[in-house]
Amino acid sequence: MLTTDNRVLHARQGVPVVEKGTVPFFEDEKEDSPRIQVRPRRISIFGLGYVGAVSLACLARDGHRVIGVDIDQTKLDLIRSRKSPILEEGIQELMADVVDSGRVSVTNDARQAIAETEISFVCVGTPSAANGSQDLTAILRLSEQIGVALHTYHDTHKIFPPALIGSGRWNVANPELPATVPPVCVPW
């Protein structure tokens, strides 16, 4: 089986075959298959539920320095103690490995996370409100915190909102802000 360092990502799709400590390779992959070399990034993950915790662990496994951000102190304490806040096959072992690697840290301070990273993934929940619409309270509160943090940030910082917001409420590919998202999300 082929092995590589954690900075190599693959340009192909398929079913991965994974060994502990390696980036997935594909069973039919040849030594000379095209690969994309990616330098390790400094990434912040806002929200450490199912999407955020798994993203944090997988990005750190792949060699990136990741800061997890959440307002739930229990989730932060679990990750610090090498445990995942969610139940998913293999996540406990992976979380322990990436925390031991030193590539993972956690905080409840959005400003610190923005200051120390170059890319952010927003993975906070948008549960259904009583009327069936999405409850955007958490995303709006986080947007304000990120806006304040970016005010003092003097470099490029990429922010990726959650897919749930993308369903008719926020189109990442379109810089125009739809009317359903309040002005707090408008970049200056």
Side-chain angles (χ1 to χ4, degrees):
M1 176 164 220
L2 302 171
T3 60
T4 186
D5 68 34
N6 287 330
R7 297 184 322 144
V8 177
L9 298 179
H10 300 273
R12 297 180 47 206
Q13 294 181 354
V15 179
V17 176
V18 181
E19 283 185 344
K20 185 174 181 177
T22 66
V23 173
F25 272 88
F26 302 93
E27 285 184 24
D28 63 342
E29 186 171 42
K30 307 288 187 258
E31 284 286 344
D32 59 348
S33 295
R35 296 186 179 100
I36 301 169
Q37 294 289 327
V38 177
R39 73 175 172 86
R41 300 289 183 160
R42 295 170 292 123
I43 301 170
S44 50
I45 305 281
F46 289 89
L48 297 174
Y50 275 92
V51 174
V54 172
S55 298
L56 174 135
C58 291
L59 288 165
R61 176 204 60 202
D62 291 345
H64 303 286
R65 168 83 170 89
V66 186
I67 299 176
V69 186
D70 205 290
I71 59 172
D72 185 342
Q73 190 62 43
T74 302
K75 291 179 182 179
L76 301 177
D77 292 342
L78 281 168
I79 293 173
R80 284 186 189 111
S81 65
R82 306 172 62 242
K83 297 179 179 128
S84 173
I86 60 138
L87 297 175
E88 188 69 42
E89 185 177 341
I91 192 68
Q92 297 300 332
E93 297 83 5
L94 179 58
M95 189 65 74
D97 289 346
V98 298
V99 171
D100 288 346
S101 75
R103 289 187 300 269
V104 170
S105 63
V106 293
T107 184
N108 61 4
D109 186 348
R111 187 179 296 204
Q112 173 196 350
I114 293 290
E116 295 179 12
T117 61
E118 57 193 303
I119 301 169
S120 293
F121 290 95
V122 177
C123 302
V124 299
T126 54
S128 295
N131 66 0
S133 67
Q134 288 177 310
D135 179 355
L136 300 177
T137 304
I139 196 86
L140 295 175
R141 183 175 49 237
L142 178 59
S143 296
E144 290 174 358
Q145 293 172 355
I146 289 174
V148 168
L150 288 173
H151 218 31
T152 59
Y153 193 81
H154 301 292
D155 205 353
T156 301
H157 194 96
K158 295 175 180 75
I159 300 173
F160 297 93
L164 293 173
I165 297 294
S167 59
R169 287 180 169 68
W170 185 319
N171 184 345
V172 178
N174 184 351
E176 295 180 17
L177 186 68
T180 56
V181 177
V184 71
C185 296
V186 176
W188 59 88

